[in-house]
Amino acid sequence: MNHTARLLHLDRTLDELDPPHWPPPAPDATALVRRVHELRRVRLGRLGPADLRTLVSQQVALPYVLPLAVRLLLEEPLLDAYFYEGDLLLATAGVPEVTWSLFPDLGVRLRSAIMELPQEALDALPRGAAEELALFAARPE
């Protein structure tokens, strides 16, 4: 299934699209674990930037959430999803290379967007972020 087809499932949840259905979290689960479980029951079209950042950083259902994240990042690469400008971009750039092989065109487009970022914007990111983005942008297509 290509990423465009995945985007057509915006009215469905990750529990529907990415089996098996997750049971409720354990009573002593962390807030992050509880949040990820909640997000799996939200329709894809209702996931906001912070939700996508959480799911991408936790590597949950990446075949469905990565195209949504990249779609936002192509419009605004340094989007402040929750913590700071560029947090969604850094989480997305940190996705394992094997996942990007499912979306070569998205990877090319995101690498291009990163390479177009002004140096001043990169310098304003947290320590090490510019280097991490440079490594991602330098990956072969």
Side-chain angles (χ1 to χ4, degrees), residues 87-130:
D87 58 353
L88 179 59
L89 179 60
L90 285 165
T92 303
V95 166
E97 219 170 312
V98 66
T99 304
W100 283 106
S101 68
L102 300 171
F103 309 103
D105 57 325
L106 289 182
V108 167
R109 293 175 66 199
L110 189 59
R111 283 192 290 280
S112 176
I114 290 169
M115 293 180 353
E116 292 174 9
L117 290 172
Q119 188 61 46
E120 308 83 54
L122 293 171
D123 292 343
L125 294 173
R127 184 180 307 189

Side-chain angles (χ1 to χ4, degrees), residues 41-52:
R41 294 188 305 272
V42 174
R43 294 184 199 290
L44 291 183
R46 295 201 176 268
L47 294 172
D51 303 329
L52 293 171

Side-chain angles (χ1 to χ4, degrees), residues 3-84:
H3 70 273
T4 304
R6 284 186 179 92
L7 294 178
L8 296 177
H9 295 297
L10 295 176
D11 62 333
R12 304 202 39 215
T13 69
L14 292 174
D15 266 353
E16 293 171 323
L17 296 168
D18 184 47
H21 174 82
W22 286 18
D28 62 345
T30 65
L32 177 60
V33 169
R34 285 192 307 273
R35 182 68 182 142
V36 170
H37 278 255
E38 289 170 12
L39 292 174
R40 285 190 52 91
R41 294 188 305 272
V42 174
R43 294 184 199 290
L44 291 183
R46 295 201 176 268
L47 294 172
D51 303 329
L52 293 171
R53 189 209 140 287
T54 297
L55 291 167
V56 168
S57 65
Q58 296 302 305
Q59 298 185 14
V60 173
L62 288 174
Y64 296 97
V65 298
L66 189 59
L68 296 172
V70 171
R71 183 173 68 170
L72 290 177
L73 292 169
L74 292 176
E75 293 176 17
E76 187 179 346
L78 294 176
L79 174 71
D80 180 345
Y82 189 74
F83 291 113
Y84 53 84

